[in-house]
Amino acid sequence: MVSQTVELLKNEIPLEQESVILAEDSVNGLVLVDIINGFCTVGAGNLAPRVPNRQISGMINESARLARLFCEKKLPVMAFLDSHHPNKPEDPYPPHCIAGTDESNLVPALRWLENETNVTIKRKDCFDGYLGSIEEDGSNVFVDWVKKNKIKTLVVVGVCTDICVLDFVCSTMSAKNRGFLNPLENVVVYSHACATFDIPLEVARNNKGALAHPQEFMHHVGLYMAKERGARIANQILFDAAEKV
């Protein structure tokens, strides 16, 4: 039934994806959203997958491969890590990714990023990495990073496609459109390096407060809404049409 619904959704709101070429003669930046244990490692927390999940595993592999390429080229990379204070709930979700726990750390496949000089790691305490980058003095770590590195094209990957990835993309597109992120021109969401979680309807009905969240359905919706905000959706990324990633 779910697969039929997903096919109906894709027929009703088809999503055209593209091959995006990243020019070598301009600065391309990569943002990794919440690819951490609490969302991606089996059994790591309240919002972690209970069993191995193909979409999440594929997202990790593609994100790690893309991050390697960006680091080899010494291009700017920013990694957002969801990190919450225990006394500040994030409704409608149960406590998760508490600061100081391994839940809020990068997954093992990406821990090497912590030692890369071109990588900026930003812990955030809300869905939206753009808002989560605002410091007490009013400055914004993400905005400063874009301007300092003169990023023209931003590639976004991570979890969850329809929540933290989408929220960040929406805020970034609005800020770009208002001229707050010059010289940023393009925001690209790489679909194969994004993922979301799965809560079937029957599971949600048996858990008070839970919301049904069919994975493939919501992944498609998240990508569609990102494109609706003006982001480009890529199913392939190339550097000057020479390297497939």
Side-chain angles (χ1 to χ4, degrees), residues 14-138:
L15 177 66
E16 184 177 347
Q17 302 190 41
E18 59 181 305
S19 177
V20 171
I21 298 173
L22 302 178
E24 295 275 12
D25 60 355
S26 67
V27 180
N28 305 288
L30 174 66
V31 169
L32 302 105
V33 179
D34 293 341
I35 310 179
I36 57 178
N37 291 316
F39 295 140
C40 303
T41 301
V42 174
N46 288 327
L47 296 184
R50 298 291 182 237
V51 296
N53 183 277
R54 184 171 60 181
Q55 188 184 93
I56 292 174
S57 297
M59 175 275 301
I60 293 172
N61 292 338
E62 283 296 298
S63 296
R65 189 158 66 93
L66 189 56
R68 287 279 185 196
L69 190 55
F70 268 71
C71 287
E72 287 171 4
K73 295 176 179 294
K74 300 301 180 183
L75 292 169
V77 175
M78 177 171 279
F80 289 124
L81 311 185
D82 209 43
S83 301
H84 295 281
H85 298 290
N87 61 339
K88 292 184 178 180
E90 190 175 49
D91 296 332
Y93 301 101
H96 61 279
C97 305
I98 302 301
T101 70
D102 202 40
E103 281 188 54
S104 66
N105 290 331
L106 288 163
V107 297
L110 287 171
R111 288 296 291 270
W112 57 272
L113 286 171
E114 296 173 356
N115 300 316
E116 297 292 323
T117 57
N118 63 306
V119 175
T120 299
I121 292 178
K122 180 69 178 85
R123 293 187 179 274
K124 63 181 180 67
D125 60 357
C126 63
F127 300 113
D128 185 341
Y130 188 100
L131 294 179
S133 292
I134 299 175
E135 303 285 74
E136 290 185 2
D137 63 2

